[in-house]
Every structure is written in structure tokens, then in C-alpha cells.
Amino acid sequence: MTIVPVSLGDRSYDVRIEAGLLDRAGEALAPYATGRPFLVITDERVAEAQWPRLKAAIEGAGLAAELVTLPAGEATKSWPQLEALTDRMIEHGIERRDHVIALGGGVIGDLVGFAASIVKRGCNFIQIPTTLLSQVDSSVGGKTAINSRAGKNLLGAFHQPSLVLIDPDTLDTLPLREVRAGYAEVVKYGLIDDAGFFEWCEANVGKLLAGDSEARAYAIAKSVAAKAAIVADDERETSGRRALLNLGHTFGHALEAETGFSDKLLHGEGVAAGMALAFGYSTRRGECSGQETGRVVAHLRAAGLPASLGDAGISASGERLVEHMLHDKKMSAGTLPFLLARGIGQTYLAKDVQLDDVAAYLDAA
Ligand code: NAD
Ligand code: GLY
């Protein structure tokens, strides 16, 4: 088992990563048990694919659990679902010291984390992420949210889990398109500040997407360690270091908005195309060689991910895409910081970007 500590003083916790861990989760959860059954929150697809394993593990440890099953999909990160879930938690008798369990992808993790941040002014929660995206990104770091009418993730809180249990074998039932989308966030860590890990990705993407156990566990552990270090350094995104995790997200957000945050472009696919555009724009500014940008584009395409507007099926004008960016929650005092790159593993936060120049770049891209 790999254990990655997230060091946040009295809110520190461990991320445990091991193939087959879900079947042994009862042991890991036992210290968090109270007299009441655990409340496990999941979505309908994960309930079918993975709940029987967790249920058996909990019962095998002599514990009990009640399941709450929500609809699958981004629309579940909503006020009505938050209200229903918090009602259910209160009916269950959740107390502040109790732990609820989020079993699922980023949608369930974000919703359950937010519910836990507000019920009884804050109870505890445990993340058991079941998508590659949630295993390498959203389950670690304590960002929780639902969507508002005005945009994605606009209502939320920083609320750290007490424990994260990652079983890479849960990815066996995840559709390949979702695995690829999560892989974009893996590549992101190499592009941010670890050129050696990007090289590893280039060499191992085939094995990883084919479900190779060692490659999967290595990529997850490496990604979680990278995220844990950044979160420990800048938990609330105040110093700018955590903002590096948004590489590709400003461009990607515009593409997701253009496709209506729908299945036409999954979040990770938007991030992939967004990272390629961020590198392309860095090349236009003379900051990153065309050769390095070409390498990024080639790798994303090799992973079956979109790496251009065309790949992402976007034909909108640059002006229209920039208009979407203006609704980005990272807008501050009328300007939008951009994550750009001086090369692979050399991402930085640029505060001097002119949006009309971005629009011109997108028109030509
Ligand atoms: P998701 O939770 O919607 O899961 C994707 C799909 O896979 C769903 O249909 C789900 O039912 C299904 N699924 C999940 N695990 C499965 C499994 N093991 N087998 C079969 N099917 C399975 O999507 P996601 O990509 O995990 O998360 C996206 C969400 O994460 C977005 O809302 C995004 O805003 C959020 N996010 C949050 C953070 C953060 O730091 N909090 C970071 C990145 C993304
Ligand atoms: N996924 C971005 C962050 O956690 O900060």
C-alpha cells in the first residue's frame, strides 16, 4: 500500500492507495465507526458497479452501512440534491464527530463534501473515489462545491476529508472515455512542474489505459503526492501555488461552456484541449518552443484526448470563447490570470494576458 500524507496541521489526513483496497475498506473504516450505521452516498452507476464490494467489506468488519443513491451526472451537484442529502443526513442523526462516506466520482465527492461542511456546522467525511479524475484530483485537497444557475462550482467550501481510500481496481468498471478524461489530470501534473513524470506518461500511457495495475497505481500515487504537496503549501489558493492546478482550465472552461457542460465534452476532455491551447498560446507569445507544444499535443492525442478546438468539436469564434471566460470564477478586478508555460514542467501564472489577444489566437488556432 502507498500512503500519501496531506499535511495540514490538525486537519491532516492520509490518502491510502492499493489495488483491492475497497474489499478491505471495513478495516480502514472501523476507527471511524459510531453506534449508527455509516451513511454511504453514491450514484446509481457506482451503486451497481462498486457498492456490493464496499457493503461486503463493511459488513465483513462487523459494521453496518446505509446507502443513499443519487442520480449519476453533473446535474446532481445542485441545490435540490444538496437539500435532499442534508435532510437525509439530519434524519440519520449525523453528529459533528460522525463521518459520512462519499463513494463515487468528483460529482459525489464534491456534493457530499459540501453537505458535510454545512450539516451541524460541519461534520466529517471520507472519500472513496471511483473515477481516475477523482482519484488523482478531486478527492484530495478539500475543495467541495455544487453548481449555481450562474455557473459551475460557484457555491462551495474548503472542507478536508478525514481519509481518502483509493482502489485503482474500481477503474475496471469505468467506461474508457471516462478513464481517458481522468488521464488528462494525470498528464497535468507532469506539465505543471515535473518533466520527468511527463516522459513517464509518454512511455506508459498505453499500459495505463489498458488497465495495467502497476502503471495505474504509480500514476495515481505520483499525482496524489504532487497534489498533496501543493495543497499543503497553499490550501486556500492564496499564494498562487495551488492555482497551478488550474492549468488548461481557463481555456477548457470556455470549451465546456460552449458545449453546455454536457456529455459532448467531459471536464477532463476540456482540460486536455485547454492544456494544449495554453501551450499553443505560450508558443504564440514566444515563451515555449513549438517543438514542446507539439509534444504535448501529440501525447494528448495518443491518449485519445482532444488537443485542439477542432478535436473538441468547437467552431465558435475567439470572441465568443473569451466571453465564456469572463464568467470564470478566477476573474479578479476585471482581469483573468492565465496558466501558461515556458516548457514542459515549467508552468507559471501570467497576469498580463490581454483577452483580445487570446481571442485572436483562438481564431487562428
Ligand atoms: P462523475 O462523478 O460524474 O463520474 C463520471 C461517470 O462515471 C458518472 O456517470 C459515474 O456514475 C460513473 N462512475 C464513477 N465511478 C465509476 C466506476 N468505478 N464504474 C463505473 N462507473 C463509474 O465525474 P468525475 O469526472 O469523476 O468528476 C467530475 C466532477 O469533479 C465535476 O463536477 C468537477 O467540477 C469536479 N472536480 C472537482 C475537483 C475538486 O478539487 N473538488 C477537481 C476536479 C474536478
Ligand atoms: N482541482 C484544482 C484544485 O484542487 O485546486
Side-chain angles (χ1 to χ4, degrees):
M1 169 160 3
T2 303
I3 299 183
V4 180
V6 184
S7 304
L8 290 167
D10 61 1
R11 284 165 293 105
S12 298
Y13 53 96
D14 283 345
V15 182
R16 300 191 202 170
I17 305 159
E18 189 180 37
L21 183 58
L22 195 62
D23 302 313
R24 297 183 285 283
E27 220 173 283
L29 295 173
Y32 302 91
T34 59
R36 277 179 299 283
F38 281 115
L39 201 59
V40 178
I41 299 101
T42 194
D43 74 32
E44 58 210 359
R45 295 199 184 129
V46 183
E48 195 183 325
Q50 300 295 336
W51 166 241
R53 291 179 62 200
L54 180 59
K55 182 173 191 281
I58 291 176
E59 290 175 357
L63 304 167
E66 274 176 27
L67 187 68
V68 177
T69 306
L70 304 178
E74 185 68 27
T76 290
K77 278 173 57 171
S78 65
W79 272 120
Q81 292 295 348
L82 179 71
E83 188 179 18
L85 174 58
T86 49
D87 282 351
R88 180 73 197 271
M89 286 164 68
I90 291 163
E91 266 166 40
H92 189 78
I94 290 292
E95 296 176 6
R96 278 189 189 167
R97 66 193 172 98
D98 289 345
H99 289 76
V100 291
I101 299 174
L103 173 72
V107 163
I108 289 297
D110 279 13
L111 173 74
V112 173
F114 188 34
S117 79
I118 55 176
V119 167
K120 306 272 172 93
R121 295 203 177 92
C123 65
N124 300 301
F125 77 118
I126 292 170
Q127 292 265 25
I128 308 187
T130 62
T131 61
L132 184 56
L133 181 138
S134 57
Q135 294 180 347
V136 300
D137 188 355
S138 63
S139 65
V140 177
K143 278 190 182 174
T144 74
I146 60 168
N147 304 323
S148 94
R149 247 193 300 275
K152 254 191 82 150
N153 294 331
L154 291 183
L155 305 164
F158 285 95
H159 189 54
Q160 300 292 343
S162 307
L163 177 69
V164 183
L165 298 178
I166 299 180
D167 178 354
D169 287 354
T170 57
L171 304 180
D172 289 345
T173 57
L174 188 68
L176 182 58
R177 185 178 171 203
E178 295 283 355
V179 178
R180 292 186 201 280
Y183 179 71
E185 305 279 4
V186 173
V187 176
K188 185 183 77 178
Y189 294 108
L191 295 179
I192 290 174
D193 63 1
D194 192 343
F197 183 51
F198 182 77
E199 271 176 40
W200 181 91
C201 288
E202 287 180 311
N204 291 282
V205 60
K207 278 205 275 184
L208 193 150
L209 294 178
D212 179 87
S213 191
E214 226 171 277
R216 229 160 40 178
Y218 178 80
I220 294 168
K222 189 87 181 154
S223 301
V224 168
K227 179 148 188 187
I230 290 176
V231 168
D233 194 46
D234 182 20
E235 183 184 9
R236 289 181 170 246
E237 213 165 301
T238 43
S239 76
R241 183 146 182 238
R242 186 161 182 171
L244 294 175
L245 294 171
N246 295 326
L247 175 62
H249 285 60
T250 300
F251 284 104
H253 175 90
L255 311 189
E256 285 186 85
E258 182 60 23
T259 46
F261 293 99
S262 68
D263 284 357
K264 282 190 201 146
L265 192 70
L266 300 178
H267 174 71
E269 293 169 341
V271 168
M275 292 191 297
L277 291 168
F279 268 75
Y281 185 57
S282 305
T283 298
R284 173 184 165 103
R285 283 168 47 111
E287 291 168 350
C288 176
S289 74
Q291 194 198 358
E292 298 231 351
T293 293
R295 227 176 115 190
V296 173
V297 167
H299 180 59
L300 293 170
R301 287 193 176 137
L305 287 163
S308 68
L309 292 178
D311 290 357
I314 304 282
S315 56
S317 68
E319 194 184 354
R320 184 175 162 86
L321 294 173
V322 162
E323 183 63 31
H324 290 308
M325 292 177 188
L326 297 178
H327 301 294
D328 197 299
K329 64 182 174 314
K330 294 180 282 299
M331 277 292 286
S332 162
T335 63
L336 187 56
F338 273 77
L339 274 309
L340 298 180
R342 299 191 178 94
I344 290 168
Q346 297 174 59
T347 293
Y348 77 100
L349 192 64
K351 294 190 175 158
D352 63 341
V353 172
Q354 303 297 320
L355 289 176
D356 52 357
D357 190 47
V358 174
Y361 161 69
L362 289 170
D363 280 332

